[in-house]
């Protein structure tokens, strides 16, 4: 065993038996997104390192210590994307997608962060992300949050709650930052080493420290909400009024600041207490300055991303089963003639019934061993062919999941019979 190669720590295989849950989540999200008029975009997995440094921020955890960065054969510094927003903005600027037009986009795929792996935290993980460009009002922030609430409803996901905050403008945040640093400097000795380090580099991140002593210290610290500018406050109030009208519940968390530098105004996280320490399943906010900062025309923007592993783990706790995609029919064929006829019959059924999932037995063997495989495939019925059946141009149809008799159906009548049998399934 010691010689066999293993996957890299924190990078997981997703095995066939896990796929029904993945497909259910991906298909449901895709359906809801298109019902709101969002269009898919696909970006490369590798980008120039500079893109992430400039957008996520030089002194964030992601850029400081979590990126998979390497030099390629041309000597360029490249990075496996740790998130999708930066690439999406880059693509929109490059292809002129946001010149005088609104874009509602989504993407999915693997992201890479060299974090310490634990349950719900991986080094390769999948996100579905959503980005909207060209809209600055709170109505689009509300649409995104209403849409996420619809995701949970459609998935049947319970036990998630919404936390909301406004970071104000860059200037407002800078004034708050100064006041916070002054307050914490006076209490430097009471901070843990992590927060002491952050005080110099990224002091706002101290607000979401997990250390209760640091949290206690923050109770009397300056509050971000006291520094928010008037326009941002009005934006936030309007968003809250829309969420109230739509019946989306939320809690204002004044210490929610997020770990990426590009945010301003609205930030939010959907969290659960059912997944241990890694309880954020969906997170995002506004980033009105980023497009211009990356070289585009000034363009307001807002978006979020969901961690699919976390969503699926939560759903698996809550749902017994997912549509499994098992074959409806498994074709059992005894003897050379029946095998050849079986192949042709299966093809003609696929022609007639494009929705049909039919798996043909390959590799010969006794009826008994073929039925065993039919059973293991999860198929609902076995379609049985021997030389006699072929001679009579008919096939046996044997239920595998219930105790009832095998029927005999003529080749000619089979497609119509199956259509009736699986009609609801096929729709
Ligand atoms: P983020 O908060 O870094 O934001 O990640 C979004 C979500 O991805 C998290 O809430 C979590 O569900 C999932 N996630 C993050 N890291 C891991 C990990 N190591 N293992 C498993 N899941 C993880 C962003 O990435 C922003 N680009 C979101 C955004 C889009 N903001 C505006 N537009």
């Amino acid at each position: 065993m010691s010689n066999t190669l293993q996957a890299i720590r924190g990078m997981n295989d997703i095995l066939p038996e896990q796929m029904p849950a993945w497909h259910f989540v991906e298909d449901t999200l895709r359906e809801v997104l298109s019902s709101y008029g969002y269009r898919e975009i696909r970006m490369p997995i590798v980008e120039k390192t500079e893109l992430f440094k400039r957008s996520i921020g030089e002194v964030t955890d992601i850029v400081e210590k979590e990126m998979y960065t390497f030099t390629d054969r041309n000597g360029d510094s490249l990075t496996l994307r740790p998130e999708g927003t930066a690439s999406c903005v880059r693509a929109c600027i490059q292809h002129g997608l946001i010149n005088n037009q609104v874009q509602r986009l989504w993407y999915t795929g693997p992201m890479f962060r060299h974090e310490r792996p634990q349950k719900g935290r991986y080094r390769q993980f999948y996100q579905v992300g959503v980005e909207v460009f060209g809209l600055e009002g709170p109505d689009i922030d509300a649409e995104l949050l209403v849409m996420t609430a619809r995701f949970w409803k459609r998935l049947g996901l319970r036990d998630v709650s919404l936390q909301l905050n406004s970071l104000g403008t860059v200037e407002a945040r800078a004034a708050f930052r100064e006041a916070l640093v002054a307050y914490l400097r006076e209490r430097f000795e009471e901070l843990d080493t992590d927060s002491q380090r952050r005080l110099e580099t990224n002091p706002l991140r101290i607000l979401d420290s997990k250390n209760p002593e640091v949290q206690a210290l923050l109770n009397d610290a300056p509050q971000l909400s006291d520094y928010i500018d008037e326009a941002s406050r009005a934006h936030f109030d309007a968003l809250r009024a829309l969420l109230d009208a739509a019946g989306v519940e939320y809690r204002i968390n004044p210490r929610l600041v997020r770990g990426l530098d590009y945010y301003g105004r609205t930030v939010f996280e959907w969290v659960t207490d059912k997944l241990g320490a890694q309880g954020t399943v969906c997170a995002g906010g506004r980033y009105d300055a980023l497009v211009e900062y990356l070289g585009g025309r000034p363009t307001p923007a807002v978006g979020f991303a969901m961690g699919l592993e976390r969503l699926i783990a939560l759903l698996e706790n809550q749902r017994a089963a997912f549509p499994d995609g098992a074959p409806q029919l498994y074709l059992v064929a005894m003897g050379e003639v029946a095998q050849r006829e079986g192949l042709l019959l299966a093809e003609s059924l696929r022609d007639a019934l494009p929705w049909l999932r039919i798996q043909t037995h390959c590799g010969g063997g006794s009826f008994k061993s073929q039925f065993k495989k039919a059973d293991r495939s999860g198929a609902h019925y076995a379609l049985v062919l021997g030389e006699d059946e072929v001679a009579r141009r008919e096939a046996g149809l044997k239920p595998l999941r219930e105790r009832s008799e095998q029927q005999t159906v003529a080749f000619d009548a089979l497609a119509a019979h199956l259509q009736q049998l699986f009609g609801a399934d096929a729709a």
Side-chain angles (χ1 to χ4, degrees), residues 315-419:
L315 260 188
E316 279 173 341
N317 286 342
Q318 298 177 354
R319 271 180 76 110
F322 297 92
D324 67 359
Q328 290 136 330
L329 286 184
Y330 188 101
L331 193 137
V332 164
M334 196 62 204
E336 236 174 77
V337 176
Q339 272 170 27
R340 192 187 58 234
E341 286 296 322
L343 182 80
L344 303 181
L345 180 64
E347 282 307 301
S348 71
L349 288 176
R350 291 185 185 108
D351 283 339
L353 308 170
W355 48 264
L356 183 69
R357 298 187 300 279
I358 173 167
Q359 189 169 326
T360 51
H361 180 83
C362 290
S366 66
F367 262 134
K368 192 169 168 215
S369 76
Q370 292 195 33
F371 268 108
K372 231 186 200 164
K373 295 208 166 96
D375 192 47
R376 216 179 292 153
S377 75
H380 305 285
Y381 289 82
L383 192 62
V384 189
L385 279 188
E387 287 190 13
D388 293 349
E389 282 86 356
V390 171
R392 293 195 298 268
R393 312 300 293 163
E394 59 189 32
L397 195 59
K398 185 176 167 45
L400 295 173
R401 308 286 148 211
E402 62 197 61
R403 288 202 168 277
S404 61
E405 288 298 300
Q406 175 168 324
Q407 284 178 283
T408 304
V409 186
F411 283 3
D412 288 348
L414 207 46
H417 188 86
L418 294 173
Q419 177 75 54

Side-chain angles (χ1 to χ4, degrees), residues 62 82-85 107 113 115 120-123 125 127 130-131 258 260 262-263 280-285 287 302-307 309-310:
I62 295 180
E83 58 110 48
T85 308
Y107 49 84
R113 297 183 193 177
E115 297 192 80
R121 187 164 70 194
Y122 309 105
R123 290 180 172 170
F125 58 96
Q127 283 186 345
V130 175
E131 315 290 355
R258 309 269 305 123
L260 302 92
Y262 48 63
Y263 294 109
T280 306
V281 294
C282 170
Y287 51 98
V302 57
F304 64 84
M306 297 170 273
E309 287 81 357
R310 292 184 193 177

